Amino acid sequence: MDRHPAHANRTGLILLGIVLLGVGGAGLARGAGLFGDETTRVFSSDVRSFADDNAWFWPAIAAVTVVLALLGLLWLIGQIRTRRIPELAMEPDPDGGRTSLSAKAVTGALQREIEEYPGVRRARARLLGSSRDPELRLNVTYGHRADPADLRRRIQEEGVPRLCAALERDTIPTVVRLRLVPKDEPTTVV
């Protein structure tokens, strides 16, 4: 999953928001007379007379602005929300009760197992998607002593199959990212 477009999207929107906030604040300050007593007309006389003749004009402008603000807020919430799964439903039969398993517990066990492999400094696992069709994202940081081919093989033949067995699934789509850490870089636990 390439996060560059999402990062650029958020950065551009933050900058646009800052510019619009500054322009809006300057307009509000000017309207309040904080820049002096001179008044500059924003609208032409035709627009002002149209607004004066139609009582619905300013409430309609306010309603459109509120709708746009709410749409923008919903879009922003959608940008922040993740696809991370909080728990997995283990019992497919609703008549038999509800059995769920914490996704954090499952991924934590997988992380601890992989961190015990020779040369691994840190592992981070996340389950994304839905409880019915989970996907595994695994980031593994390793040192120079680790063999990346052997590390990949162990993850593929030992770690992921154990996760599949724990979740009672044949397979789970998995993305593994291996990252070599330079010798002098300290290991940080997050």
Side-chain angles (χ1 to χ4, degrees):
M1 179 169 72
D2 186 12
R3 298 200 53 90
H4 181 70
H7 180 70
N9 186 15
R10 288 186 186 109
T11 303
L13 286 171
I14 287 170
L15 293 174
L16 178 65
I18 290 170
V19 168
L20 290 176
L21 187 64
V23 169
L28 187 62
R30 183 166 183 101
L34 296 177
F35 295 128
D37 289 336
E38 289 184 26
T39 58
T40 304
R41 301 286 182 199
V42 176
F43 297 115
S44 68
S45 61
D46 292 336
V47 173
R48 286 195 314 267
S49 65
F50 179 80
D52 290 340
D53 293 342
N54 298 292
W56 58 266
F57 181 76
W58 290 115
I61 295 294
V64 168
T65 304
V66 167
V67 167
L68 288 175
L70 289 175
L71 288 173
L73 183 62
L74 288 173
W75 181 81
L76 184 62
I77 290 170
Q79 292 290 314
I80 295 170
R81 193 176 62 198
T82 66
R83 294 178 37 219
R84 190 173 293 188
I85 302 172
E87 62 181 27
L88 297 156
M90 299 301 291
E91 185 66 41
D93 180 19
D95 295 332
R98 181 167 189 258
T99 304
S100 62
L101 181 62
S102 166
K104 189 172 185 175
V106 173
T107 57
L110 179 63
Q111 287 173 184
R112 286 187 295 278
E113 176 184 341
I114 293 173
E115 286 173 348
E116 292 177 5
Y117 295 169
V120 173
R121 295 206 180 166
R122 184 170 167 253
R124 182 171 178 234
R126 294 178 300 154
L127 286 173
L128 305 175
S130 67
S131 180
R132 179 172 287 186
D133 297 314
E135 300 172 9
L136 176 65
R137 298 293 185 263
L138 187 59
N139 294 320
V140 179
T141 305
Y142 65 96
H144 288 281
R145 294 184 189 141
D147 177 19
D150 184 52
L151 182 57
R152 182 180 171 277
R153 182 195 57 77
R154 285 194 71 182
I155 291 170
Q156 185 176 358
E157 295 176 4
E158 296 175 23
V160 174
R162 281 195 187 104
L163 178 70
C164 290
L167 298 179
E168 300 174 348
R169 300 183 188 281
D170 294 331
T171 61
I172 295 178
T174 303
V175 174
V176 179
R177 291 189 180 131
L178 299 176
R179 186 173 86 94
L180 176 65
V181 178
K183 289 181 182 180
D184 56 351
E185 185 176 313
T187 303
T188 57
V189 178
V190 177

